[in-house]
Amino acid sequence: MGGVYNGEGGDCHRANLPCPLAVRMDLDEVEKAGHLQHSYSLDTHTGIFTHSLRTVSVIASQSLYTHRHHPNLLVMEVLLIRQGTSREPITIKLDSRFTPQSDDIVFHSEPDYKGASYIQGQTTTAEVSGGVCPSVHIIWTPITPSLTLLPDQAQSRWGFVVVVAGSQDSVQAHYDTALELMANGNLRPSHLRAWEELWAGSTLELTGPDDLSRALIGCMFYLLSAFPSLHEAPGHFGGVSPGGLSNGGSGQDYWGHVFWDQDTWMYPSIGLFYPQLARAVLEYRVRTVDGAKDNAEKQGYKGLKFPWESAVSGREVCPEDIYGQQEIHINGDVTLAFQHYLYLTQDMSMFTEGRGSEVIWGVADYWVSRVTWSAEEQNYHILGVMPPDEYYYNVNNSVYTNTVAKFSLEFAVELAALLKYPAPREWQQVADKIKIPFDQKQKYHPEYDGYKKGQFVKQADTVMLGYPLGLPMTPEVRRNDLEFYEAVTDPGGPAMTWGMFAVGWLELGEVEKAGHLLQKCFKNIQGPFQVWSESSDGSGAVNFLTGMGGFLQAVLFGYTGFRVQKDCLAFAPSIPDDITQLCIRGVSYLGNKMDWLVRGQEVYIILREGAKHTGNTKPCALQVVLKNSGTKIPLIPGKLYSIPFYFTTNSQMLKLSIQILSGYYSTHTQIFSLF
């Protein structure tokens, strides 16, 4: 259950809940005497997992799903379909493994509610000393030990629901909803409609290698499954941990905590399609501001220090102090998500009544108090940090950390100007003078002061300067960074690494190299349901959403070249020969929804007609400008536009630009870049 943790401080972990639907379906011995076939399937279009048993006399299907529109409901449906001419009764057994107990929650039985079983309890220990322990209420329809298809029945279906909520009023209201949906036959149909609506908002499909296509569908499905319903009330979202909600008990899969993984690895692909879900990520961070302030004060600094590992309060819950003390790039990772949201949506309400400005300016104050002036080098240093490459610690001037600090300071100044807030001069001064390590002789970025070329590294770090940070550099430097660090990156490192290298090579037009690196990611995909493991040998976090997010970005921001910038959404496709068609539907930009198709030597764009407003942004009128010819094409909703492009590694950029006709950037041109 999102946001329900047990344990204080470094002992805080996701609380395990008992599941009444922990049921194994089996046939009685008579039916099993015949030929018996088992099958398991996951339908990613509908979010339904099914176990089926087939004999000569019956097909028995057990389907499980979390309701997409009503995410407090977990549903199990059993369907029996008679086969052949026999009219004997057919019985299946439901072997329940459920016990109403948890190591994390002390449950008490309550009187049945409308014929359903009911337990409630609280976690044993609050996240913060003296804090409130979260409550959990569970109501479920009793599971019978067997189900029988009667002699006069050709088929029959049974439904069972579990409802989980944080209060008695809430759990009973959700159970009433479940009963109503079941009574009118709308339980599964309403779930299917919700998934249909969700997939209509985002489609990433290709005609090409089947394993790549399946991987993309799987990544998008699991990532969307970790985010709230489009209809869920604000304030209920507890963030996304590397293993999602299915994992995170004590000592397991990072204990269910929220890391930079959410903001840097998972958020970008969601933000490009779903402003509402993107805003939920930002609102989660806003709710942790008080804890972030406390973290900064405990370190002796001003402003906000977001926790390396976060639960509900925003106070540091990492079991090992060194990460919370030194892996401070998390602050810049959080602000970069806010920055991208503003550029994609122009939704200023997130930064005013939504309190996003408190996050941006609080982080800026932290950086100013955290830097040290070097009289010798005449610039600002950030000392004693751990970079994203966690093989090293207590280093000075991590190039990633300093760069993300610089950009978050610059964004704080930019936001202050938009909101007419008097920005302290130190914000711009530190941004202008912060050290970005660079080796002038070898033309590459050392990972930190004192890094020696050839030292082993854990994961993507310096290569992320180009993407997602967007630090300006020459193609020569970009190439050197990629080559130097690819050669020394741990081949057994976390799954998201190779996607960032692939994006870098695609920027340089090296499609074949990018494809080779993307192939490394497939070692992390465990069959048959495309579930990712953190490491290529199957170890580490399970259902590793971080790796899926990195892989999605390699395609969504690599093959397409999408870049979210202040005055543009850049688009520069680099498509390998074995992909004949790449379709991206539902791109959200400035209140509009667009569909893109790259096929052969053509790019097709259509601005959706009658699309709902995305987020809190009213649609802006858009136009395309072709850079080479200067041709301007207004995008008319419902009209398909075809734009030729010719990709070679040395080609000049053909730029498509979008002009915003309303809003605070009304004088700027929004640009799509195509090679």
Side-chain angles (χ1 to χ4, degrees):
M1 182 176 178
V4 177
Y5 293 88
N6 187 41
E8 181 181 342
D11 293 325
C12 169
H13 58 273
R14 192 183 304 290
N16 284 323
L17 276 61
C19 180
L21 298 186
V23 174
R24 174 178 293 176
M25 182 180 67
D26 203 354
L27 294 170
D28 63 23
E29 295 304 319
V30 175
E31 287 297 330
K32 289 168 66 174
H35 183 59
L36 176 64
Q37 292 180 320
H38 287 268
S39 67
Y40 301 87
S41 64
L42 173 63
D43 188 334
T44 56
H45 290 289
T46 63
I48 297 176
F49 180 81
T50 302
H51 169 213
S52 295
L53 300 173
R54 178 187 289 266
T55 71
V56 293
S57 60
V58 68
I59 298 175
S61 299
Q62 175 192 20
S63 298
L64 294 137
Y65 57 92
T66 300
H67 201 285
R68 187 67 224 188
H69 187 91
H70 303 283
N72 294 72
L73 310 185
L74 183 64
V75 182
M76 180 177 77
E77 296 175 349
V78 178
L79 173 64
L80 299 183
I81 302 176
R82 188 180 297 275
Q83 302 292 293
T85 59
S86 171
R87 287 298 175 259
E88 295 295 319
I90 299 173
T91 299
I92 64 162
K93 296 184 293 185
L94 299 180
D95 182 13
S96 175
R97 309 300 175 89
F98 167 69
T99 57
Q101 299 172 348
S102 167
D103 293 336
D104 297 310
I105 301 168
V106 179
F107 280 107
H108 305 281
S109 296
E110 295 290 326
D112 286 359
Y113 180 74
K114 297 185 178 180
S117 301
Y118 181 9
I119 58 174
Q120 63 83 22
Q122 286 183 295
T123 59
T124 60
T125 309
E127 177 188 337
V128 180
S129 178
V132 177
C133 293
S135 297
V136 175
H137 293 248
I138 304 176
I139 294 179
W140 69 97
T141 51
I143 307 295
T144 57
S146 64
L147 299 171
T148 299
L149 187 64
L150 300 176
D152 60 345
Q153 292 178 312
Q155 66 178 53
S156 188
R157 184 189 299 269
W158 294 263
F160 305 88
V161 296
V162 175
V163 179
V164 185
S167 69
Q168 183 181 52
D169 288 346
S170 179
V171 75
Q172 291 180 352
H174 285 298
Y175 190 72
D176 290 343
T177 297
L179 291 179
E180 181 182 352
L181 291 170
M182 293 176 76
N184 60 28
N186 199 28
L187 185 62
R188 180 184 280 228
S190 58
H191 167 76
L192 299 181
R193 287 193 299 271
W195 267 109
E196 183 179 9
E197 177 188 14
L198 197 63
W199 283 123
S202 66
T203 302
L204 181 58
E205 296 177 336
L206 58 85
T207 302
D210 183 64
D211 58 349
L212 176 58
S213 181
R214 289 171 61 84
L216 290 175
I217 293 170
C219 287
M220 203 67 191
F221 169 76
Y222 289 118
L223 204 56
L224 286 173
S225 296
F227 277 79
S229 164
L230 293 174
H231 305 279
E232 194 167 347
H236 293 174
F237 180 54
V240 184
S241 60
L245 280 175
S246 57
N247 301 288
S250 181
Q252 176 199 59
D253 289 0
Y254 300 108
W255 296 16
H257 296 160
V258 178
F259 293 71
W260 75 313
D261 304 46
Q262 170 189 257
D263 311 87
T264 299
W265 298 100
M266 306 174 202
Y267 171 89
S269 298
I270 295 296
L272 193 62
F273 293 113
Y274 302 102
Q276 183 178 342
L277 300 184
R279 180 163 174 151
V281 170
L282 310 187
E283 290 172 341
Y284 165 76
R285 290 298 187 182
V286 169
R287 289 193 294 275
T288 65
V289 159
D290 289 343
K293 183 177 181 181
D294 183 68
N295 297 334
E297 290 176 351
K298 286 179 177 177
Q299 289 189 359
Y301 301 112
K302 298 178 180 179
L304 304 177
K305 162 60 177 68
F306 284 94
W308 177 240
E309 298 189 27
S310 179
V312 176
S313 71
R315 288 166 176 81
E316 185 62 65
V317 292
C318 181
E320 299 180 62
D321 289 341
I322 189 170
Y323 296 97
Q325 291 290 328
Q326 294 196 11
E327 206 148 0
I328 61 176
H329 65 80
I330 179 66
N331 263 12
D333 304 324
V334 168
T335 59
L336 184 62
F338 278 81
Q339 185 176 358
H340 281 191
Y341 177 80
L342 180 61
Y343 293 168
L344 279 169
T345 68
Q346 207 170 296
D347 175 17
M348 292 303 298
S349 70
M350 180 65 237
F351 297 86
T352 51
E353 56 262 36
R355 299 174 56 202
S357 59
E358 293 181 38
V359 172
I360 304 305
W361 299 335
V363 168
D365 287 338
Y366 176 84
W367 290 126
V368 169
S369 68
R370 185 65 173 77
V371 297
T372 300
W373 176 254
S374 169
E376 179 183 355
E377 297 189 36
Q378 289 293 296
N379 53 25
Y380 289 100
H381 291 193
I382 300 181
L383 309 177
V385 303
M386 179 183 290
D389 172 14
E390 293 171 326
Y391 285 170
Y392 304 96
Y393 58 92
N394 205 32
V395 302
N396 299 331
N397 296 314
S398 151
V399 68
Y400 179 91
T401 303
N402 287 24
T403 300
V404 83
K406 173 185 176 69
F407 289 163
S408 57
L409 283 162
E410 290 175 346
F411 181 57
V413 173
E414 177 188 335
L415 183 64
L418 290 171
L419 297 179
K420 297 181 170 34
Y421 175 81
R425 288 181 300 173
E426 293 84 359
W427 291 356
Q428 190 64 58
Q429 290 172 352
V430 174
D432 291 342
K433 285 286 190 174
I434 196 168
K435 180 179 181 180
I436 307 298
F438 183 70
D439 187 318
Q440 290 286 355
K441 183 177 181 181
Q442 299 190 71
K443 299 295 182 184
Y444 88 110
H445 292 96
E447 189 175 278
Y448 52 83
D449 281 357
Y451 175 84
K452 301 300 182 183
K453 184 180 173 184
Q455 286 181 267
F456 214 42
V457 303
K458 176 184 177 182
Q459 63 183 63
D461 185 313
T462 306
V463 296
M464 296 174 70
L465 298 180
Y467 174 85
L469 299 191
L471 180 70
M473 66 184 78
T474 65
E476 177 191 10
V477 172
R478 183 69 161 132
R479 179 179 295 273
N480 288 343
D481 284 350
L482 291 166
E483 290 180 342
F484 292 169
Y485 289 104
E486 182 183 334
V488 296
T489 297
D490 188 344
M496 65 279 193
T497 289
W498 302 116
M500 292 302 99
F501 279 97
V503 171
W505 286 117
L506 288 167
E507 285 180 349
L508 298 174
E510 299 279 359
V511 179
E512 187 174 339
K513 283 188 177 181
H516 171 71
L517 291 167
L518 268 186
Q519 281 297 317
K520 293 187 177 185
C521 297
F522 287 95
K523 296 179 181 178
N524 297 77
I525 303 176
Q526 311 303 321
F529 297 115
Q530 306 291 306
V531 176
W532 284 58
S533 59
E534 183 175 9
S535 301
S536 58
D537 62 1
S539 63
V542 181
N543 188 37
F544 191 52
L545 297 173
T546 309
M548 299 185 207
F551 187 80
L552 273 177
Q553 289 187 60
V555 175
L556 190 55
F557 294 88
Y559 284 160
T560 68
F562 278 128
R563 293 292 182 275
V564 179
Q565 299 171 5
K566 175 181 177 179
D567 55 1
C568 73
L569 178 62
F571 180 76
S574 299
I575 311 297
D577 292 339
D578 59 352
I579 296 177
T580 57
Q581 178 173 291
L582 178 63
C583 180
I584 311 101
R585 295 190 182 97
V587 173
S588 291
Y589 189 53
L590 304 176
N592 296 279
K593 276 284 192 181
M594 293 180 288
D595 298 333
W596 295 73
L597 175 66
V598 182
R599 179 195 294 157
Q601 299 296 322
E602 297 281 336
V603 175
Y604 300 89
I605 309 171
I606 186 168
L607 187 65
R608 290 190 182 179
E609 191 171 18
K612 295 180 181 178
H613 293 183
T614 53
N616 296 305
T617 306
K618 293 182 179 180
C620 297
L622 307 176
Q623 67 176 358
V624 171
V625 179
L626 305 184
K627 181 189 175 185
N628 284 9
S629 63
T631 303
K632 298 181 179 181
I633 309 169
L635 288 178
I636 300 172
K639 184 177 180 180
L640 179 66
Y641 296 87
S642 172
I643 302 169
F645 80 98
Y646 305 94
F647 173 74
T648 64
T649 56
N650 297 315
S651 67
Q652 294 189 357
M653 295 175 72
L654 170 65
K655 292 204 171 186
L656 306 177
S657 66
I658 292 181
Q659 176 72 50
I660 304 175
L661 301 181
S662 62
Y664 69 90
Y665 281 139
S666 58
T667 60
H668 291 265
T669 300
Q670 309 314 76
I671 302 173
F672 288 95
S673 305
L674 287 101
F675 285 106

